[in-house]
Amino acid sequence: MLAAPVAAEPDISWGGELFAENCSECHMVPHNDEWFKARADAGNMGSYDSLRTMVQGCANNFGLPWFDEEVDAVTAWMNQEYYGFE
């Protein structure tokens, strides 16, 4: 019997690099640190899954050829930096 593959933890530092390279041009003006924190504090992003869905949607909308690993890394980085979902 084959064991199910174990999912690797997302590489958070890589997620920060991907965000800087692909997302920051749009999301840091006017979406700066204060904007993300206010969004998190206001509850506009309700869960880790909704954050991941937003990251995947942005990747799709902008034609980024990301695999799940890239989406997971950016989601994990954004969660660590701004949202703090468990």
Side-chain angles (χ1 to χ4, degrees):
M1 184 167 222
L2 296 174
V6 176
E9 288 293 316
D11 184 338
I12 293 173
S13 63
W14 184 40
E17 292 170 16
L18 289 167
F19 183 91
E21 293 169 7
N22 298 282
C23 310
S24 65
E25 186 175 325
C26 292
H27 284 291
M28 295 316 285
V29 179
H31 299 32
N32 58 16
D33 286 351
E34 290 177 20
W35 183 88
F36 281 111
K37 288 178 181 160
R39 183 174 169 91
D41 291 344
N44 292 337
M45 185 63 59
S47 68
Y48 191 88
D49 288 339
S50 63
L51 176 59
R52 188 184 188 289
T53 298
M54 184 210 51
V55 171
Q56 181 68 66
C58 284
N60 291 345
N61 286 336
F62 290 98
L64 298 174
W66 285 359
F67 291 102
D68 287 344
E69 292 82 6
E70 284 96 345
V71 172
D72 291 340
V74 172
T75 302
W77 180 82
M78 290 186 71
N79 188 57
Q80 175 181 282
E81 291 295 309
Y82 303 111
Y83 295 100
F85 297 122
E86 294 189 29

Coordinates of all heavy atoms in Angstrom, one line a residue:
M1 N 0.8 -1.2 0.0 CA 0.0 0.0 0.0 C 0.9 1.2 0.0 O 1.9 1.3 0.7 CB -0.9 0.0 1.2 CG -1.9 1.1 1.3 SD -3.1 0.7 2.6 CE -4.5 1.2 1.7
L2 N 0.5 2.2 -0.8 CA 1.3 3.4 -0.9 C 0.8 4.5 0.1 O -0.4 4.6 0.3 CB 1.2 4.1 -2.3 CG 1.8 3.2 -3.4 CD1 1.4 3.9 -4.8 CD2 3.2 3.1 -3.3
A3 N 1.8 5.1 0.7 CA 1.4 6.2 1.7 C 1.1 7.5 0.9 O 1.7 7.7 -0.1 CB 2.6 6.4 2.6
A4 N 0.2 8.2 1.5 CA -0.1 9.5 0.9 C 1.1 10.5 1.0 O 1.7 10.5 2.1 CB -1.4 10.1 1.5
P5 N 1.4 11.3 0.0 CA 2.5 12.2 0.2 C 2.2 13.2 1.2 O 1.1 13.7 1.4 CB 2.6 12.9 -1.2 CG 1.3 12.6 -1.9 CD 0.7 11.4 -1.3
V6 N 3.2 13.6 2.0 CA 3.1 14.6 3.0 C 3.3 16.0 2.4 O 4.3 16.2 1.7 CB 4.2 14.3 4.1 CG1 4.1 15.4 5.2 CG2 4.0 13.0 4.7
A7 N 2.4 16.9 2.6 CA 2.5 18.2 2.1 C 3.6 19.0 2.8 O 3.7 19.0 4.0 CB 1.2 18.9 2.2
A8 N 4.5 19.6 2.0 CA 5.6 20.4 2.6 C 5.0 21.7 3.1 O 4.1 22.2 2.6 CB 6.7 20.6 1.5
E9 N 5.7 22.2 4.2 CA 5.3 23.5 4.7 C 5.6 24.5 3.6 O 6.7 24.5 3.0 CB 6.0 23.8 6.0 CG 5.6 23.0 7.1 CD 4.2 23.3 7.6 OE1 3.8 24.5 7.6 OE2 3.4 22.4 7.8
P10 N 4.8 25.6 3.4 CA 5.1 26.6 2.5 C 6.4 27.3 2.9 O 6.7 27.5 4.0 CB 3.9 27.6 2.6 CG 2.8 26.8 3.2 CD 3.5 25.8 4.1
D11 N 7.2 27.7 1.9 CA 8.4 28.5 2.1 C 8.1 30.0 2.2 O 7.9 30.6 1.2 CB 9.4 28.2 0.9 CG 10.7 28.9 1.1 OD1 10.8 29.9 1.9 OD2 11.7 28.4 0.4
I12 N 8.0 30.4 3.4 CA 7.5 31.8 3.7 C 8.4 32.8 3.1 O 8.0 33.8 2.5 CB 7.3 32.0 5.2 CG1 6.1 31.1 5.6 CG2 7.0 33.5 5.5 CD1 5.8 31.1 7.1
S13 N 9.8 32.6 3.2 CA 10.7 33.6 2.6 C 10.5 33.7 1.1 O 10.6 34.8 0.5 CB 12.1 33.4 3.1 OG 12.6 32.1 2.5
W14 N 10.4 32.6 0.5 CA 10.1 32.6 -1.0 C 8.8 33.3 -1.3 O 8.7 34.0 -2.3 CB 10.1 31.1 -1.5 CG 9.9 31.0 -2.9 CD1 10.5 31.7 -3.9 CD2 9.1 30.0 -3.6 NE1 10.2 31.2 -5.2 CE2 9.3 30.1 -5.0 CE3 8.3 28.9 -3.2 CZ2 8.7 29.3 -5.9 CZ3 7.7 28.1 -4.1 CH2 7.9 28.3 -5.5
G15 N 7.8 33.1 -0.5 CA 6.5 33.9 -0.6 C 6.7 35.4 -0.6 O 6.2 36.1 -1.4
G16 N 7.6 35.8 0.3 CA 7.9 37.3 0.3 C 8.6 37.7 -0.9 O 8.3 38.8 -1.4
E17 N 9.5 36.9 -1.4 CA 10.2 37.2 -2.7 C 9.2 37.3 -3.9 O 9.3 38.2 -4.7 CB 11.3 36.2 -3.0 CG 12.4 36.2 -2.0 CD 13.4 35.1 -2.2 OE1 13.3 34.4 -3.2 OE2 14.2 34.8 -1.2
L18 N 8.3 36.3 -3.9 CA 7.3 36.2 -5.0 C 6.4 37.5 -4.9 O 6.1 38.1 -6.0 CB 6.5 34.9 -4.9 CG 7.2 33.7 -5.3 CD1 6.4 32.5 -4.9 CD2 7.5 33.7 -6.8
F19 N 6.0 37.8 -3.7 CA 5.1 39.0 -3.5 C 5.9 40.2 -4.0 O 5.3 41.0 -4.8 CB 4.8 39.1 -2.0 CG 3.8 40.3 -1.8 CD1 2.5 40.1 -1.8 CD2 4.3 41.5 -1.5 CE1 1.6 41.1 -1.6 CE2 3.4 42.6 -1.3 CZ 2.1 42.4 -1.3
A20 N 7.1 40.4 -3.6 CA 7.9 41.6 -4.0 C 8.1 41.6 -5.5 O 8.0 42.7 -6.1 CB 9.3 41.6 -3.4
E21 N 8.3 40.5 -6.2 CA 8.5 40.5 -7.6 C 7.2 40.6 -8.4 O 7.3 41.1 -9.6 CB 9.2 39.1 -8.0 CG 10.6 39.0 -7.5 CD 11.1 37.5 -7.7 OE1 10.4 36.7 -8.3 OE2 12.2 37.3 -7.1
N22 N 6.1 40.1 -7.9 CA 4.9 40.0 -8.7 C 3.7 40.8 -8.2 O 2.8 41.0 -9.0 CB 4.5 38.5 -8.9 CG 5.5 37.7 -9.5 OD1 5.7 37.7 -10.7 ND2 6.3 37.0 -8.7
C23 N 3.7 41.1 -7.0 CA 2.4 41.7 -6.4 C 2.6 43.1 -5.9 O 1.7 43.9 -5.9 CB 2.0 40.8 -5.2 SG 1.8 39.1 -5.6
S24 N 3.8 43.5 -5.4 CA 4.0 44.7 -4.7 C 3.8 45.9 -5.6 O 3.4 47.0 -5.1 CB 5.4 44.8 -4.1 OG 6.4 44.8 -5.1
E25 N 4.0 45.9 -6.9 CA 3.8 47.0 -7.7 C 2.3 47.5 -7.6 O 2.1 48.7 -7.5 CB 4.1 46.7 -9.2 CG 4.0 47.9 -10.1 CD 4.5 47.6 -11.5 OE1 5.4 46.8 -11.7 OE2 3.9 48.2 -12.4
C26 N 1.4 46.6 -7.5 CA 0.0 47.0 -7.4 C -0.4 47.1 -5.9 O -1.2 48.0 -5.6 CB -0.9 46.0 -8.1 SG -0.8 46.0 -9.9
H27 N 0.1 46.2 -5.1 CA -0.5 46.1 -3.8 C 0.3 46.9 -2.7 O -0.1 46.8 -1.5 CB -0.5 44.6 -3.4 CG -1.7 43.9 -4.0 ND1 -3.0 44.2 -3.6 CD2 -1.7 43.0 -4.9 CE1 -3.8 43.4 -4.4 NE2 -3.0 42.7 -5.2
M28 N 1.2 47.7 -3.1 CA 1.9 48.5 -2.1 C 1.5 50.0 -2.2 O 1.7 50.8 -1.3 CB 3.4 48.3 -2.1 CG 3.8 46.9 -1.7 SD 3.0 46.2 -0.3 CE 3.7 47.0 1.1
V29 N 0.8 50.3 -3.3 CA 0.3 51.7 -3.5 C -1.1 51.6 -4.0 O -1.2 51.1 -5.2 CB 1.2 52.5 -4.5 CG1 0.7 53.9 -4.7 CG2 2.7 52.5 -3.9
P30 N -2.1 51.8 -3.4 CA -2.2 52.3 -2.0 C -2.2 51.2 -1.0 O -2.5 51.4 0.2 CB -3.5 53.1 -2.0 CG -4.4 52.3 -2.9 CD -3.4 51.8 -4.0
H31 N -2.1 50.0 -1.4 CA -2.2 48.8 -0.5 C -0.8 48.7 0.3 O -0.1 47.7 0.1 CB -2.4 47.6 -1.2 CG -3.7 47.5 -2.0 ND1 -4.3 48.6 -2.6 CD2 -4.5 46.5 -2.3 CE1 -5.4 48.3 -3.2 NE2 -5.6 47.0 -3.1
N32 N -0.6 49.6 1.2 CA 0.6 49.5 2.0 C 0.4 48.7 3.3 O -0.7 48.1 3.4 CB 1.1 50.9 2.3 CG 0.1 51.7 3.1 OD1 -0.9 51.2 3.6 ND2 0.3 53.0 3.1
D33 N 1.4 48.6 4.1 CA 1.3 47.8 5.3 C 0.1 48.2 6.2 O -0.6 47.3 6.7 CB 2.5 47.9 6.2 CG 3.7 47.2 5.6 OD1 3.6 46.4 4.7 OD2 4.8 47.4 6.2
E34 N -0.2 49.5 6.3 CA -1.3 49.9 7.1 C -2.6 49.5 6.5 O -3.6 49.1 7.2 CB -1.3 51.5 7.2 CG -0.2 52.0 8.1 CD -0.2 53.5 8.1 OE1 -1.2 54.2 7.8 OE2 0.9 54.0 8.4
W35 N -2.7 49.5 5.1 CA -4.0 49.0 4.5 C -4.2 47.5 4.8 O -5.3 47.1 5.1 CB -3.8 49.2 3.0 CG -5.1 48.9 2.2 CD1 -6.1 49.7 1.9 CD2 -5.4 47.6 1.6 NE1 -7.1 49.0 1.2 CE2 -6.6 47.7 1.0 CE3 -4.7 46.4 1.5 CZ2 -7.2 46.6 0.3 CZ3 -5.3 45.3 0.9 CH2 -6.6 45.5 0.3
F36 N -3.2 46.7 4.6 CA -3.3 45.3 4.9 C -3.7 45.0 6.4 O -4.6 44.2 6.7 CB -2.0 44.5 4.6 CG -1.8 44.2 3.2 CD1 -0.8 44.8 2.5 CD2 -2.6 43.3 2.5 CE1 -0.6 44.6 1.1 CE2 -2.4 43.0 1.1 CZ -1.4 43.6 0.5
K37 N -3.1 45.7 7.3 CA -3.4 45.6 8.7 C -4.8 46.0 9.0 O -5.5 45.4 9.8 CB -2.3 46.3 9.6 CG -1.0 45.5 9.5 CD 0.1 46.2 10.3 CE 1.3 45.4 10.1 NZ 2.5 46.1 10.4
A38 N -5.2 47.1 8.4 CA -6.6 47.6 8.7 C -7.6 46.6 8.1 O -8.6 46.3 8.7 CB -6.8 49.0 8.0
R39 N -7.3 46.0 7.0 CA -8.2 45.0 6.3 C -8.3 43.8 7.3 O -9.4 43.3 7.5 CB -7.6 44.6 5.0 CG -8.5 43.7 4.2 CD -7.8 43.5 2.8 NE -8.4 42.4 2.1 CZ -9.5 42.5 1.3 NH1 -10.1 43.7 1.1 NH2 -9.9 41.5 0.6
A40 N -7.1 43.4 7.8 CA -7.1 42.2 8.7 C -7.9 42.6 10.0 O -8.7 41.8 10.4 CB -5.7 41.8 9.1
D41 N -7.7 43.7 10.6 CA -8.4 44.1 11.8 C -9.9 44.3 11.6 O -10.6 44.0 12.5 CB -7.8 45.4 12.3 CG -6.4 45.3 12.9 OD1 -5.9 44.1 13.1 OD2 -5.7 46.3 13.0
A42 N -10.3 44.7 10.4 CA -11.7 44.9 10.1 C -12.4 43.6 9.8 O -13.6 43.6 9.7 CB -11.9 45.9 9.0
G43 N -11.6 42.5 9.7 CA -12.3 41.2 9.4 C -12.7 41.1 7.9 O -13.5 40.2 7.6
N44 N -12.1 41.9 7.0 CA -12.4 41.8 5.6 C -11.9 40.6 5.0 O -12.3 40.2 3.8 CB -12.0 43.0 4.9 CG -12.8 44.3 5.3 OD1 -13.9 44.2 5.8 ND2 -12.2 45.4 5.1
M45 N -10.9 39.9 5.6 CA -10.4 38.7 5.1 C -10.7 37.7 6.3 O -10.1 37.8 7.3 CB -8.9 38.8 4.9 CG -8.2 37.6 4.3 SD -8.8 37.2 2.6 CE -8.5 38.6 1.7
G46 N -11.6 36.8 6.0 CA -12.1 36.0 7.1 C -11.4 34.7 7.5 O -11.6 34.3 8.6
S47 N -10.5 34.2 6.7 CA -9.8 33.0 7.0 C -8.6 32.8 6.1 O -8.4 33.4 5.1 CB -10.8 31.8 6.8 OG -11.1 31.6 5.4
Y48 N -7.8 31.8 6.5 CA -6.6 31.5 5.7 C -7.1 31.0 4.4 O -6.5 31.4 3.4 CB -5.8 30.4 6.5 CG -4.5 30.1 5.8 CD1 -3.4 30.9 6.2 CD2 -4.3 29.2 4.8 CE1 -2.1 30.7 5.7 CE2 -3.0 29.0 4.3 CZ -2.0 29.7 4.7 OH -0.7 29.5 4.1
D49 N -8.2 30.2 4.3 CA -8.7 29.7 3.0 C -9.1 30.9 2.1 O -8.9 30.9 0.9 CB -9.8 28.7 3.2 CG -9.3 27.4 3.7 OD1 -8.1 27.1 3.6 OD2 -10.2 26.7 4.3
S50 N -9.8 31.9 2.7 CA -10.2 33.0 1.9 C -9.0 33.8 1.4 O -9.0 34.4 0.3 CB -11.2 33.9 2.6 OG -10.7 34.5 3.7
L51 N -7.9 33.9 2.2 CA -6.7 34.6 1.8 C -6.1 33.8 0.6 O -5.7 34.4 -0.4 CB -5.7 34.7 3.0 CG -4.3 35.3 2.7 CD1 -4.4 36.7 2.1 CD2 -3.5 35.2 4.0
R52 N -6.0 32.5 0.7 CA -5.4 31.7 -0.3 C -6.2 31.9 -1.6 O -5.7 32.0 -2.7 CB -5.4 30.2 0.1 CG -4.6 29.4 -1.0 CD -4.5 27.9 -0.7 NE -3.6 27.2 -1.6 CZ -3.9 27.0 -2.9 NH1 -5.0 27.5 -3.4 NH2 -3.0 26.4 -3.6
T53 N -7.6 31.9 -1.5 CA -8.4 32.1 -2.7 C -8.1 33.4 -3.3 O -8.1 33.5 -4.6 CB -9.9 32.0 -2.3 OG1 -10.1 30.7 -1.8 CG2 -10.8 32.3 -3.4
M54 N -7.9 34.5 -2.5 CA -7.6 35.8 -3.1 C -6.3 35.8 -3.8 O -6.2 36.3 -4.9 CB -7.6 36.8 -2.0 CG -7.3 38.2 -2.5 SD -6.4 39.4 -1.4 CE -5.0 38.5 -0.9
V55 N -5.2 35.1 -3.2 CA -3.9 35.0 -3.9 C -4.1 34.3 -5.2 O -3.5 34.7 -6.2 CB -2.9 34.4 -2.9 CG1 -1.6 34.1 -3.7 CG2 -2.6 35.3 -1.7
Q56 N -4.8 33.2 -5.2 CA -5.0 32.4 -6.4 C -5.7 33.2 -7.4 O -5.3 33.2 -8.6 CB -5.7 31.1 -6.1 CG -5.9 30.2 -7.3 CD -4.6 29.6 -7.8 OE1 -4.0 28.8 -7.1 NE2 -4.2 30.0 -9.0
G57 N -6.7 33.9 -7.0 CA -7.5 34.8 -8.0 C -6.6 35.8 -8.6 O -6.7 36.1 -9.8
C58 N -5.7 36.5 -7.8 CA -4.8 37.5 -8.4 C -3.9 36.8 -9.3 O -3.6 37.4 -10.4 CB -4.0 38.2 -7.2 SG -5.0 39.4 -6.3
A59 N -3.3 35.7 -9.0 CA -2.4 35.0 -9.9 C -3.1 34.7 -11.2 O -2.5 34.9 -12.3 CB -1.9 33.7 -9.2
N60 N -4.3 34.2 -11.1 CA -5.1 33.9 -12.4 C -5.4 35.1 -13.2 O -5.2 35.2 -14.4 CB -6.4 33.2 -12.0 CG -6.2 31.8 -11.5 OD1 -5.1 31.2 -11.6 ND2 -7.2 31.3 -10.8
N61 N -5.8 36.2 -12.5 CA -6.2 37.4 -13.2 C -5.0 38.1 -13.9 O -5.2 38.7 -14.9 CB -6.8 38.4 -12.2 CG -8.2 38.0 -11.8 OD1 -8.9 37.3 -12.5 ND2 -8.6 38.5 -10.7
F62 N -3.8 37.9 -13.4 CA -2.7 38.6 -13.9 C -1.8 37.6 -14.7 O -0.7 38.0 -15.2 CB -1.9 39.3 -12.9 CG -2.6 40.5 -12.4 CD1 -3.3 40.5 -11.2 CD2 -2.6 41.7 -13.1 CE1 -4.0 41.6 -10.7 CE2 -3.3 42.8 -12.7 CZ -4.0 42.7 -11.5
G63 N -2.3 36.4 -15.0 CA -1.6 35.5 -15.8 C -0.3 34.9 -15.3 O 0.5 34.6 -16.1
L64 N -0.2 34.9 -14.0 CA 1.0 34.3 -13.4 C 1.0 32.8 -13.5 O 0.0 32.2 -13.1 CB 1.2 34.8 -11.9 CG 1.3 36.3 -11.7 CD1 1.3 36.6 -10.2 CD2 2.5 36.8 -12.3
P65 N 2.0 32.2 -14.0 CA 2.0 30.8 -14.2 C 2.4 30.0 -12.9 O 3.3 29.2 -12.9 CB 3.0 30.6 -15.3 CG 4.0 31.7 -15.1 CD 3.2 32.8 -14.6
W66 N 1.7 30.3 -11.8 CA 2.0 29.8 -10.5 C 1.4 28.4 -10.3 O 0.2 28.2 -10.6 CB 1.5 30.7 -9.4 CG 2.4 31.9 -9.2 CD1 3.5 32.3 -9.9 CD2 2.2 33.0 -8.3 NE1 4.0 33.4 -9.4 CE2 3.2 33.9 -8.4 CE3 1.2 33.2 -7.3 CZ2 3.3 35.0 -7.7 CZ3 1.3 34.3 -6.5 CH2 2.4 35.2 -6.7
F67 N 2.2 27.5 -9.7 CA 1.7 26.3 -9.2 C 1.2 26.5 -7.8 O 1.3 27.6 -7.2 CB 2.8 25.2 -9.2 CG 3.2 24.8 -10.6 CD1 4.4 25.3 -11.2 CD2 2.4 23.9 -11.4 CE1 4.8 24.9 -12.5 CE2 2.8 23.5 -12.6 CZ 4.0 24.1 -13.2
D68 N 0.6 25.4 -7.2 CA 0.1 25.5 -5.8 C 1.2 26.0 -4.9 O 0.9 26.7 -3.9 CB -0.5 24.2 -5.4 CG -1.8 23.9 -6.0 OD1 -2.5 24.8 -6.6 OD2 -2.3 22.7 -5.9
E69 N 2.4 25.6 -5.1 CA 3.5 25.9 -4.2 C 3.8 27.4 -4.1 O 4.0 27.9 -3.1 CB 4.8 25.2 -4.7 CG 4.8 23.7 -4.5 CD 4.1 22.9 -5.6 OE1 3.7 23.6 -6.7 OE2 4.0 21.7 -5.5
E70 N 3.7 28.1 -5.3 CA 3.8 29.5 -5.3 C 2.7 30.2 -4.6 O 2.9 31.1 -3.7 CB 3.9 30.1 -6.7 CG 5.3 29.9 -7.4 CD 5.3 28.6 -8.2 OE1 4.4 27.8 -8.2 OE2 6.3 28.6 -9.0
V71 N 1.5 29.8 -4.8 CA 0.3 30.3 -4.2 C 0.4 30.1 -2.7 O 0.1 31.0 -1.9 CB -1.0 29.7 -4.8 CG1 -2.2 30.2 -4.0 CG2 -1.2 30.1 -6.2
D72 N 0.8 28.9 -2.3 CA 0.9 28.6 -0.9 C 1.9 29.4 -0.2 O 1.8 29.9 0.9 CB 1.2 27.1 -0.7 CG 0.0 26.2 -1.0 OD1 -1.1 26.7 -1.1 OD2 0.3 25.0 -1.3
A73 N 3.1 29.6 -0.9 CA 4.2 30.4 -0.3 C 3.7 31.9 -0.1 O 4.0 32.5 1.0 CB 5.4 30.3 -1.2
V74 N 3.1 32.5 -1.1 CA 2.7 33.9 -1.0 C 1.6 34.0 0.1 O 1.6 34.9 0.9 CB 2.2 34.4 -2.3 CG1 1.5 35.8 -2.1 CG2 3.3 34.5 -3.3
T75 N 0.6 33.0 0.1 CA -0.4 33.0 1.2 C 0.2 33.0 2.5 O -0.2 33.7 3.4 CB -1.4 31.9 0.9 OG1 -1.9 31.9 -0.4 CG2 -2.5 31.8 2.0
A76 N 1.2 32.1 2.7 CA 1.8 31.9 4.0 C 2.5 33.2 4.4 O 2.5 33.6 5.6 CB 2.8 30.7 4.0
W77 N 3.2 33.8 3.5 CA 4.0 35.0 3.8 C 3.0 36.1 4.2 O 3.2 36.8 5.2 CB 4.8 35.5 2.6 CG 5.5 36.7 2.9 CD1 6.7 36.9 3.6 CD2 5.1 38.1 2.5 NE1 7.1 38.2 3.6 CE2 6.1 38.9 3.0 CE3 4.1 38.6 1.8 CZ2 6.0 40.3 2.8 CZ3 4.0 39.9 1.6 CH2 5.0 40.8 2.1
M78 N 1.9 36.3 3.4 CA 0.9 37.4 3.7 C 0.3 37.1 5.1 O 0.0 38.0 5.8 CB -0.1 37.5 2.6 CG 0.4 38.0 1.3 SD -0.9 38.3 0.1 CE -1.7 39.7 0.8
N79 N 0.0 35.8 5.4 CA -0.6 35.5 6.6 C 0.4 35.9 7.8 O -0.1 36.4 8.8 CB -1.0 34.0 6.7 CG -1.7 33.7 7.9 OD1 -2.8 34.3 8.2 ND2 -1.2 32.7 8.7
Q80 N 1.6 35.5 7.6 CA 2.6 35.8 8.7 C 2.8 37.4 8.8 O 2.8 37.9 9.9 CB 4.0 35.2 8.3 CG 5.1 35.6 9.3 CD 6.4 35.0 8.9 OE1 6.6 33.9 9.1 NE2 7.2 35.8 8.3
E81 N 2.8 38.1 7.7 CA 3.1 39.5 7.8 C 1.9 40.3 8.3 O 2.0 41.3 8.9 CB 3.5 40.0 6.4 CG 4.8 39.6 6.0 CD 6.0 40.1 6.9 OE1 6.0 41.3 7.1 OE2 6.8 39.3 7.3
Y82 N 0.6 39.9 7.8 CA -0.5 40.8 8.0 C -1.7 40.2 8.8 O -2.4 40.9 9.5 CB -1.0 41.3 6.7 CG 0.0 42.0 5.9 CD1 0.5 41.5 4.7 CD2 0.5 43.2 6.3 CE1 1.5 42.1 4.0 CE2 1.5 43.9 5.6 CZ 2.0 43.4 4.4 OH 2.9 44.0 3.7
Y83 N -2.0 38.9 8.5 CA -3.3 38.4 9.0 C -3.3 37.5 10.2 O -4.1 37.7 11.1 CB -4.0 37.6 7.8 CG -4.3 38.5 6.7 CD1 -3.5 38.6 5.5 CD2 -5.4 39.4 6.7 CE1 -3.8 39.5 4.5 CE2 -5.8 40.2 5.7 CZ -4.9 40.3 4.6 OH -5.3 41.1 3.6
G84 N -2.3 36.6 10.4 CA -2.2 35.8 11.6 C -3.3 34.8 11.8 O -3.6 34.5 12.9
F85 N -3.8 34.2 10.7 CA -4.8 33.2 10.8 C -4.1 31.9 11.3 O -2.9 31.7 11.0 CB -5.5 32.8 9.5 CG -6.3 34.0 8.9 CD1 -6.0 34.5 7.7 CD2 -7.3 34.5 9.7 CE1 -6.8 35.5 7.1 CE2 -8.1 35.6 9.2 CZ -7.8 36.1 7.9
E86 N -4.8 31.1 12.0 CA -4.1 29.8 12.5 C -4.4 28.7 11.5 O -5.3 28.7 10.7 CB -4.7 29.5 13.8 CG -4.2 30.5 14.8 CD -4.6 30.1 16.2 OE1 -4.6 28.9 16.5 OE2 -4.7 31.0 17.1

